[in-house]
Short mmCIF file of all heavy atoms in Angstrom, two decimals:
data_model
loop_
_atom_site.label_atom_id
_atom_site.label_comp_id
_atom_site.label_asym_id
_atom_site.label_seq_id
_atom_site.Cartn_x
_atom_site.Cartn_y
_atom_site.Cartn_z
N TYR A 1 -0.12 0.48 -22.75
CA TYR A 1 -1.26 0.90 -21.94
C TYR A 1 -1.40 -0.04 -20.74
O TYR A 1 -1.04 -1.22 -20.81
CB TYR A 1 -2.56 0.87 -22.76
CG TYR A 1 -2.78 2.10 -23.59
CD1 TYR A 1 -2.33 2.17 -24.90
CD2 TYR A 1 -3.43 3.21 -23.07
CE1 TYR A 1 -2.53 3.31 -25.67
CE2 TYR A 1 -3.64 4.35 -23.82
CZ TYR A 1 -3.19 4.39 -25.12
OH TYR A 1 -3.39 5.53 -25.88
N PHE A 2 -1.96 0.52 -19.67
CA PHE A 2 -2.23 -0.27 -18.46
C PHE A 2 -3.73 -0.27 -18.24
O PHE A 2 -4.37 0.79 -18.16
CB PHE A 2 -1.51 0.36 -17.26
CG PHE A 2 -1.58 -0.48 -16.01
CD1 PHE A 2 -0.99 -1.73 -15.96
CD2 PHE A 2 -2.25 -0.01 -14.88
CE1 PHE A 2 -1.05 -2.50 -14.80
CE2 PHE A 2 -2.32 -0.77 -13.73
CZ PHE A 2 -1.72 -2.02 -13.69
N VAL A 3 -4.31 -1.47 -18.17
CA VAL A 3 -5.76 -1.63 -18.02
C VAL A 3 -6.03 -2.36 -16.71
O VAL A 3 -5.49 -3.45 -16.47
CB VAL A 3 -6.36 -2.42 -19.20
CG1 VAL A 3 -7.88 -2.52 -19.05
CG2 VAL A 3 -6.01 -1.76 -20.52
N THR A 4 -6.86 -1.77 -15.86
CA THR A 4 -7.17 -2.37 -14.56
C THR A 4 -8.46 -3.19 -14.66
O THR A 4 -9.22 -3.06 -15.63
CB THR A 4 -7.35 -1.27 -13.50
OG1 THR A 4 -8.50 -0.47 -13.85
CG2 THR A 4 -6.12 -0.38 -13.42
N PRO A 5 -8.72 -4.04 -13.66
CA PRO A 5 -9.95 -4.86 -13.68
C PRO A 5 -11.23 -4.03 -13.77
O PRO A 5 -12.23 -4.51 -14.31
CB PRO A 5 -9.88 -5.63 -12.35
CG PRO A 5 -8.42 -5.69 -12.03
CD PRO A 5 -7.85 -4.40 -12.53
N SER A 6 -11.20 -2.80 -13.28
CA SER A 6 -12.40 -1.96 -13.36
C SER A 6 -12.58 -1.33 -14.74
O SER A 6 -13.55 -0.63 -14.99
CB SER A 6 -12.33 -0.85 -12.31
OG SER A 6 -11.27 0.05 -12.60
N GLY A 7 -11.61 -1.54 -15.63
CA GLY A 7 -11.70 -1.01 -16.98
C GLY A 7 -11.01 0.32 -17.19
O GLY A 7 -11.10 0.92 -18.26
N LYS A 8 -10.28 0.80 -16.19
CA LYS A 8 -9.55 2.06 -16.32
C LYS A 8 -8.36 1.86 -17.26
O LYS A 8 -7.56 0.95 -17.09
CB LYS A 8 -9.07 2.52 -14.95
CG LYS A 8 -8.23 3.79 -14.96
CD LYS A 8 -7.93 4.19 -13.54
CE LYS A 8 -6.88 5.25 -13.40
NZ LYS A 8 -6.86 6.26 -14.40
N VAL A 9 -8.25 2.72 -18.28
CA VAL A 9 -7.18 2.62 -19.29
C VAL A 9 -6.25 3.80 -19.11
O VAL A 9 -6.66 4.96 -19.18
CB VAL A 9 -7.77 2.62 -20.72
CG1 VAL A 9 -6.64 2.55 -21.75
CG2 VAL A 9 -8.74 1.45 -20.89
N THR A 10 -4.96 3.52 -18.89
CA THR A 10 -3.96 4.56 -18.67
C THR A 10 -2.80 4.37 -19.65
O THR A 10 -2.28 3.26 -19.80
CB THR A 10 -3.40 4.50 -17.23
OG1 THR A 10 -4.47 4.61 -16.31
CG2 THR A 10 -2.40 5.61 -17.00
N SER A 11 -2.42 5.44 -20.32
CA SER A 11 -1.24 5.40 -21.18
C SER A 11 0.02 5.29 -20.33
O SER A 11 0.21 6.06 -19.39
CB SER A 11 -1.18 6.66 -22.04
OG SER A 11 0.01 6.70 -22.78
N TYR A 12 0.87 4.32 -20.65
CA TYR A 12 2.11 4.14 -19.89
C TYR A 12 3.16 5.12 -20.40
O TYR A 12 3.55 5.09 -21.57
CB TYR A 12 2.63 2.70 -20.03
CG TYR A 12 3.94 2.47 -19.31
CD1 TYR A 12 3.95 2.07 -17.98
CD2 TYR A 12 5.17 2.67 -19.94
CE1 TYR A 12 5.14 1.87 -17.29
CE2 TYR A 12 6.36 2.48 -19.27
CZ TYR A 12 6.35 2.08 -17.95
OH TYR A 12 7.54 1.89 -17.27
N ASP A 13 3.62 6.00 -19.50
CA ASP A 13 4.64 6.97 -19.91
C ASP A 13 5.80 7.01 -18.93
O ASP A 13 6.53 8.01 -18.86
CB ASP A 13 4.02 8.37 -20.06
CG ASP A 13 3.47 8.92 -18.75
OD1 ASP A 13 3.43 8.16 -17.76
OD2 ASP A 13 3.08 10.10 -18.71
N ALA A 14 6.01 5.93 -18.19
CA ALA A 14 7.13 5.88 -17.24
C ALA A 14 8.38 5.39 -17.95
O ALA A 14 8.43 5.30 -19.18
CB ALA A 14 6.75 4.98 -16.07
N GLY A 15 9.40 5.07 -17.18
CA GLY A 15 10.68 4.66 -17.74
C GLY A 15 10.60 3.34 -18.49
O GLY A 15 9.63 2.59 -18.37
N ARG A 16 11.66 3.03 -19.23
CA ARG A 16 11.66 1.84 -20.06
C ARG A 16 12.58 0.74 -19.51
O ARG A 16 12.99 -0.14 -20.28
CB ARG A 16 12.10 2.21 -21.49
CG ARG A 16 11.14 3.16 -22.22
CD ARG A 16 9.82 2.47 -22.55
NE ARG A 16 8.90 3.38 -23.24
CZ ARG A 16 8.81 3.49 -24.56
NH1 ARG A 16 9.59 2.79 -25.33
NH2 ARG A 16 7.92 4.31 -25.08
N SER A 17 12.90 0.77 -18.23
CA SER A 17 13.66 -0.34 -17.64
C SER A 17 12.68 -1.31 -17.00
O SER A 17 11.52 -0.97 -16.72
CB SER A 17 14.64 0.18 -16.58
OG SER A 17 13.95 0.60 -15.42
N ALA A 18 13.15 -2.54 -16.74
CA ALA A 18 12.29 -3.54 -16.10
C ALA A 18 11.83 -3.07 -14.73
O ALA A 18 10.66 -3.24 -14.36
CB ALA A 18 13.02 -4.88 -16.00
N ASN A 19 12.72 -2.44 -13.97
CA ASN A 19 12.35 -1.95 -12.64
C ASN A 19 11.29 -0.84 -12.74
O ASN A 19 10.37 -0.79 -11.92
CB ASN A 19 13.59 -1.41 -11.92
CG ASN A 19 14.51 -2.52 -11.44
OD1 ASN A 19 14.07 -3.66 -11.27
ND2 ASN A 19 15.77 -2.20 -11.25
N ASP A 20 11.43 0.04 -13.75
CA ASP A 20 10.43 1.10 -13.94
C ASP A 20 9.05 0.50 -14.20
O ASP A 20 8.04 0.95 -13.66
CB ASP A 20 10.82 2.00 -15.12
CG ASP A 20 12.04 2.86 -14.83
OD1 ASP A 20 12.25 3.21 -13.66
OD2 ASP A 20 12.78 3.16 -15.79
N ILE A 21 9.02 -0.51 -15.04
CA ILE A 21 7.75 -1.14 -15.41
C ILE A 21 7.13 -1.83 -14.19
O ILE A 21 5.94 -1.69 -13.91
CB ILE A 21 7.96 -2.12 -16.57
CG1 ILE A 21 8.34 -1.35 -17.85
CG2 ILE A 21 6.71 -2.97 -16.82
CD1 ILE A 21 8.81 -2.21 -18.99
N VAL A 22 7.95 -2.57 -13.46
CA VAL A 22 7.46 -3.28 -12.27
C VAL A 22 6.93 -2.27 -11.24
O VAL A 22 5.85 -2.46 -10.65
CB VAL A 22 8.57 -4.16 -11.66
CG1 VAL A 22 8.14 -4.71 -10.30
CG2 VAL A 22 8.90 -5.31 -12.61
N ASP A 23 7.70 -1.20 -11.01
CA ASP A 23 7.27 -0.19 -10.03
C ASP A 23 5.95 0.46 -10.44
O ASP A 23 5.09 0.71 -9.61
CB ASP A 23 8.35 0.88 -9.88
CG ASP A 23 9.60 0.36 -9.16
OD1 ASP A 23 9.50 -0.72 -8.53
OD2 ASP A 23 10.65 1.02 -9.25
N PHE A 24 5.81 0.75 -11.74
CA PHE A 24 4.58 1.37 -12.23
C PHE A 24 3.37 0.45 -11.97
O PHE A 24 2.32 0.90 -11.51
CB PHE A 24 4.70 1.67 -13.73
CG PHE A 24 3.46 2.24 -14.35
CD1 PHE A 24 3.27 3.61 -14.41
CD2 PHE A 24 2.46 1.41 -14.87
CE1 PHE A 24 2.12 4.15 -14.98
CE2 PHE A 24 1.31 1.94 -15.44
CZ PHE A 24 1.14 3.31 -15.49
N ILE A 25 3.54 -0.82 -12.30
CA ILE A 25 2.43 -1.76 -12.12
C ILE A 25 2.06 -1.89 -10.65
O ILE A 25 0.88 -1.86 -10.28
CB ILE A 25 2.80 -3.13 -12.73
CG1 ILE A 25 2.90 -3.01 -14.25
CG2 ILE A 25 1.77 -4.19 -12.34
CD1 ILE A 25 3.41 -4.25 -14.95
N LYS A 26 3.06 -2.01 -9.78
CA LYS A 26 2.78 -2.15 -8.35
C LYS A 26 2.07 -0.92 -7.80
O LYS A 26 1.19 -1.02 -6.94
CB LYS A 26 4.08 -2.40 -7.58
CG LYS A 26 4.65 -3.81 -7.79
CD LYS A 26 5.92 -4.00 -6.99
CE LYS A 26 6.44 -5.41 -7.12
NZ LYS A 26 7.70 -5.61 -6.33
#
């Protein structure tokens, strides 16, 4: 899950590579 400072909770469903994770967070 990805949780933002405002409290928004999002299920992570992107790719499972390091680049996918970094891109999703950015």
Side-chain angles (χ1 to χ4, degrees):
Y1 277 91
F2 187 64
V3 182
T4 64
S6 67
K8 177 175 168 36
V9 179
T10 303
S11 174
Y12 178 89
D13 63 353
R16 296 291 180 92
S17 72
N19 287 338
D20 290 330
I21 293 170
V22 170
D23 289 345
F24 177 92
I25 292 173
K26 287 181 176 180

